[in-house]
Amino acid sequence: MCGIVGYIGNKQALPILIGGLRRLEYRGYDSAGVAIIKIQDTDSKIQMIESVKAVGKIDMLADKVKDKKLDGTVGIAHTRWATHGGVIEQNAHPHFGCDGKLVIVHNGIIENYRELKEKMKDHKFVSETDTEVLAHLIESHYDGDLKLAVETALSHVRGTYGLVVMHADHPEELIAARLGSPLVIGMGENEHYIASDATPMLAYTKKVMFLEDGEIAEIKKDGVKIYNLKDELITKHIEEIEWNDEQAQKQGYENFMLKEIHDQPTVFEDAIRGRVNLEEGTAHLGGLNMTDDEMRSIERIVLIACGTASYAAMVGKYAFERLAGIPTEVDYASEFRYRDPIITDKTLVFAISQSGETADTLAAVREAKRKGAFVRGIVNVVGSTIARETDGGTYIHAGPELAVASTKAYTNMVAIMILYAIQFGRLKRVTLATGQRLITALLEIPEKMNKVLEQNDKIKDLAQKYKDCKDMMFLGRGINYPVALEGSLKLKEISYIHAEAYPGGEMKHGPIALLSPEFPTFAIMVKDQLYEKMRSNIEEVKARKSPIILLATEGDNCAKELAEDVIYVPDTMELLEPLLNTLPLQLFAYHTAVMLGRDVDRPRNLAKSVTVE
Ligand code: F6R
């Protein structure tokens, strides 16, 4: 997830662009850059584009541009959250074509960028990014008409984009296009703005136009023309934004956690895009850096992580064992590092971390490497220490997660581990038909997640009903036991209510003694192979008069007989259940915490990145 800003008008562009980037810094913050059209020679009207880039926060860029005379009233800028290529200046946007006249900023992922690059042998590339390939592609189709060049180039592209293109020979226009990555145009008096969301322009205008997928905009000082997929000029509604800055960053949500919970369908798509192949019924995660033979030789997988990431890992264990038949252990990183773990050259260790900086996980990575394991990362923050110190792995593409309590990163960690399990499984015992069923079911997940999120109000009512309880029990079995653990962690860390989580079958061995009418239970009883077993466990809970919230599969009429409060989730394949079932638990914790007046984005005693032991 990155941020785009563009300006065309009569004011100096630089302060608007830098100010705009600061507003967008929450979207990504590993590097940034700006490009401005400069009138070099007023008489002959020669224009050139000047660009400055810097690694690090926007302040680094602001410092760097101070000494340059970046005068000009047309420009584009970008703050990057790396997806392709490391965090270095060359990979920061804007990216140029060969002749230095065409420049682009882009959000999204160009899936076929390698193929496209292969075909442009006569072009010189200076970065590792998919975006630079797009700049060259547009340049190769340019013949005096910038909009036409963008349209033609985009017809060859597979993937997603929100992009703005600028050309030295067209100082009177910016061309923008959207497919899957948001863009907003700000309407001023003889000036226009464009950005990934409305925050950079709120200081100047509240009148905006939202580009839709497939639309292309021709933005000039004195007007904006929007074309649809069929290249027809269309009329768009101008909307009035009522948000202030902070509300706009949160895209209208009350806080980052709620926004990030609702981001999940979109970022899940980002995680699997270009990585699954329905025809072959498999997944391809190139970053693994292992040959098929090396993959087949793996005898044991160890998943090391902390907190929420460790619960994602527990889901991963089920997937690896069931699909790939490889014995898999989950270890808290803080335990692993001191346990003298048994590691052989046939052990594959995955370190799972949102921040990529967690000290315990990092130390465990170093220990596993020392002992000769294959060590790979499943990480969100690009260029983070764990990403750099592992010998490969996969970014989960969840985008910046700003709320301290992890939500969307968990979902994408689970997604990536399922993809890995399919990839290993297809080399071993998973049939083409099973692989295809899994991929089909994965592709249906975003829509089903949306159906779960639509129940927000109902879950809020349940939070209202249970918010004053002092304790809560979470129960699940099989692949839903880690879901119960995650639900219980979310509730305790943001609401400060005491919560426990157990496998349903374990209750009778002790914890059931806790239950009473004052100690409610949140139980996951979806239609999978353990349904009947879980049902009996819930009967036991009911007999102890613990009030029950039940998570059940849509159409399960028996659920109402067991519990007064039921949340229904769509059916999916058993291995994918956590991708849906965790969401209502996140929402329940969130609403409970808000009702208790907690600071949900910054709960007490916690930090987003735990870089100490
Ligand atoms: C819980 C939470 C923490 C983290 C844990 C690991 O909501 O956020 O439990 O999951 O500290 O952090 P990362 O994934 O950054 O290694």
Side-chain angles (χ1 to χ4, degrees):
M1 215 163 98
C2 314
I4 284 177
V5 198
Y7 174 77
I8 184 161
N10 296 319
K11 297 184 192 131
Q12 280 298 315
L14 187 64
I16 295 171
L17 297 176
I18 298 286
L21 289 182
R22 288 192 199 283
R23 295 277 171 280
L24 290 178
E25 203 165 14
Y26 78 96
R27 297 174 72 91
Y29 34 75
D30 55 39
S31 51
V34 57
I36 286 181
I37 299 191
K38 208 171 165 186
I39 311 281
Q40 204 180 26
D41 176 339
T42 326
D43 295 334
S44 56
K45 296 224 169 13
I46 295 174
Q47 274 93 225
M48 61 173 289
I49 294 178
E50 276 211 321
S51 171
V52 180
K53 302 178 187 189
V55 168
K57 301 219 178 245
I58 309 299
D59 280 343
M60 308 298 284
L61 179 69
D63 262 5
K64 220 169 157 184
V65 291
K66 249 194 236 148
D67 314 327
K68 318 249 169 187
K69 271 197 100 4
L70 277 191
D71 291 338
T73 59
V74 186
I76 54 179
H78 189 267
T79 173
R80 180 168 186 248
W81 169 267
T83 58
H84 290 74
V87 184
I88 52 173
E89 213 169 287
Q90 288 99 303
N91 289 339
H93 302 214
H95 286 288
F96 284 85
C98 284
D99 69 3
K101 286 188 160 188
L102 184 144
V103 69
I104 184 172
V105 286
H106 161 234
N107 289 347
I109 296 172
I110 305 302
E111 287 167 18
N112 58 336
Y113 80 104
R114 281 197 192 87
E115 286 161 45
L116 296 167
K117 197 169 178 177
E118 274 293 297
K119 289 186 193 147
M120 291 189 282
K121 293 241 185 295
D122 50 333
H123 284 247
K124 191 171 174 305
F125 296 90
V126 295
S127 79
E128 305 151 283
T129 65
D130 51 341
T131 302
E132 192 193 8
V133 175
L134 205 47
H136 287 268
L137 188 66
I138 299 171
E139 180 180 54
S140 69
H141 288 284
Y142 175 73
D143 192 16
D145 182 337
L146 188 58
K147 175 174 153 279
L148 184 63
V150 173
E151 269 168 353
T152 317
L154 291 180
S155 69
H156 297 281
V157 154
R158 243 187 9 254
T160 54
Y161 48 80
L163 58 88
V164 187
V165 181
M166 187 167 85
H167 197 292
D169 293 345
H170 299 266
E172 76 293 350
E173 68 179 1
L174 296 174
I175 302 293
R178 172 191 162 142
L179 190 73
S181 243
L183 280 177
V184 187
I185 300 172
M187 315 296 287
E189 285 290 314
N190 245 331
E191 60 176 10
H192 289 98
Y193 304 81
I194 178 141
S196 323
D197 67 40
T199 46
M201 55 195 78
L202 286 179
Y204 311 99
T205 179
K206 300 234 172 205
K207 290 193 171 42
V208 299
M209 230 160 36
F210 291 95
L211 270 195
E212 299 298 333
D213 280 351
E215 291 177 351
I216 289 206
E218 207 174 51
I219 307 166
K220 302 197 173 184
K221 218 161 68 170
D222 53 0
V224 175
K225 284 185 183 159
I226 313 274
Y227 298 85
N228 64 13
L229 272 177
K230 296 184 208 143
D231 204 26
E232 296 159 340
L233 191 63
I234 53 169
T235 316
K236 282 189 78 89
H237 180 60
I238 296 180
E239 297 179 37
E240 188 99 20
I241 295 266
E242 282 163 17
W243 301 338
N244 63 29
D245 251 18
E246 218 205 32
Q247 285 166 327
Q249 279 192 13
K250 292 172 186 160
Q251 289 167 19
Y253 291 103
E254 259 167 70
N255 41 51
F256 283 111
M257 183 174 175
L258 190 60
K259 174 187 168 290
E260 286 159 11
I261 291 173
H262 282 86
D263 278 348
Q264 287 175 109
T266 310
V267 298
F268 175 83
E269 281 178 345
D270 292 342
I272 66 166
R273 184 176 297 113
R275 290 167 164 177
V276 293
N277 183 326
L278 182 56
E279 214 175 302
E280 293 174 17
T282 193
H284 290 293
L285 294 159
L288 190 59
N289 295 337
M290 286 170 83
T291 62
D292 285 358
D293 280 344
E294 279 173 335
M295 287 171 74
R296 283 193 201 95
S297 76
I298 292 300
E299 289 175 354
R300 198 164 133 253
I301 293 177
V302 179
L303 306 172
I304 46 178
C306 304
T308 287
S310 74
Y311 300 146
M314 285 173 75
V315 177
K317 171 184 161 75
Y318 279 88
F320 280 118
E321 293 193 336
R322 200 168 295 172
L323 297 178
I326 305 173
T328 304
E329 290 160 38
V330 179
D331 227 333
Y332 286 122
S334 53
E335 291 296 310
F336 177 91
R337 59 187 293 195
Y338 294 115
R339 204 165 42 78
D340 200 9
I342 299 164
I343 298 280
T344 69
D345 59 358
K346 302 227 173 336
T347 308
L348 170 60
V349 173
F350 280 109
I352 303 148
S353 174
Q354 187 288 127
S355 62
E357 302 294 347
T358 303
D360 287 321
T361 313
L362 183 58
V365 163
R366 291 174 178 159
E367 180 64 18
K369 280 180 80 172
R370 211 173 289 129
K371 292 202 148 71
F374 289 93
V375 185
R376 302 293 183 262
I378 295 178
V379 172
N380 194 33
V381 177
V382 176
S384 54
T385 313
I386 294 175
R388 284 186 277 112
E389 291 206 11
T390 43
D391 304 314
T394 298
Y395 288 120
I396 64 169
H397 291 333
E401 193 182 62
L402 301 183
V404 163
S406 188
T407 51
K408 60 179 181 171
Y410 163 89
T411 320
N412 278 17
M413 287 166 180
V414 169
I416 295 302
M417 277 183 279
I418 290 172
L419 295 192
Y420 268 128
I422 296 174
Q423 192 171 342
F424 274 85
R426 287 286 286 127
L427 290 178
K428 299 183 118 196
R429 55 190 207 170
V430 173
T431 61
L432 172 64
T434 305
Q436 286 176 328
R437 272 202 307 131
L438 279 157
I439 303 294
T440 307
L442 274 167
L443 295 170
E444 289 167 356
I445 288 292
E447 202 183 316
K448 292 184 176 177
M449 282 178 168
N450 278 322
K451 279 184 95 176
V452 174
L453 295 172
E454 278 163 19
Q455 298 182 65
N456 180 54
D457 288 350
K458 179 174 179 188
I459 297 169
K460 192 171 175 182
D461 290 345
L462 291 178
Q464 177 66 35
K465 179 168 168 187
Y466 289 93
K467 71 177 193 321
D468 296 319
C469 69
K470 298 277 172 284
D471 314 273
M472 187 166 259
M473 179 66 75
F474 286 80
L475 297 181
R477 289 190 78 138
I479 202 154
N480 285 300
Y481 168 50
V483 175
L485 282 163
E486 175 58 5
S488 126
L489 178 63
K490 284 288 92 81
L491 187 68
K492 57 188 134 189
E493 69 183 331
I494 61 168
S495 76
Y496 320 143
I497 291 174
H498 164 238
E500 304 250 357
Y502 276 93
E506 189 60 21
M507 283 297 283
K508 56 187 174 296
H509 299 291
I512 201 164
L514 290 168
L515 298 186
S516 73
E518 282 73 50
F519 202 131
T521 299
F522 200 133
I524 304 158
M525 187 194 76
V526 288
K527 285 268 180 166
D528 57 21
Q529 55 168 339
L530 291 167
Y531 175 80
E532 291 300 339
K533 304 279 171 212
M534 191 62 197
R535 210 189 141 134
S536 312
N537 299 144
I538 294 166
E539 295 282 9
E540 291 158 13
V541 170
K542 196 173 173 188
R544 273 72 187 182
K545 299 198 165 44
S546 166
I548 300 170
I549 307 175
L550 209 53
L551 198 73
T553 308
E554 275 172 5
D556 177 1
N557 298 325
C558 301
K560 267 270 153 233
E561 292 165 19
L562 279 176
E564 201 178 305
D565 297 314
V566 184
I567 302 166
Y568 290 99
V569 286
D571 196 14
T572 185
M573 286 178 78
E574 186 169 333
L575 276 179
L576 311 192
E577 283 170 359
L579 294 167
L580 300 178
N581 296 351
T582 311
L583 275 55
L585 278 64
Q586 294 169 342
L587 281 172
F588 180 77
Y590 168 80
H591 287 299
T592 307
V594 169
M595 283 167 194
L596 294 174
R598 312 296 191 224
D599 181 349
V600 279
D601 281 346
R602 277 174 231 89
R604 72 185 180 201
N605 307 343
L606 296 176
K608 184 68 187 160
S609 178
V610 188
T611 52
V612 289
E613 201 184 329

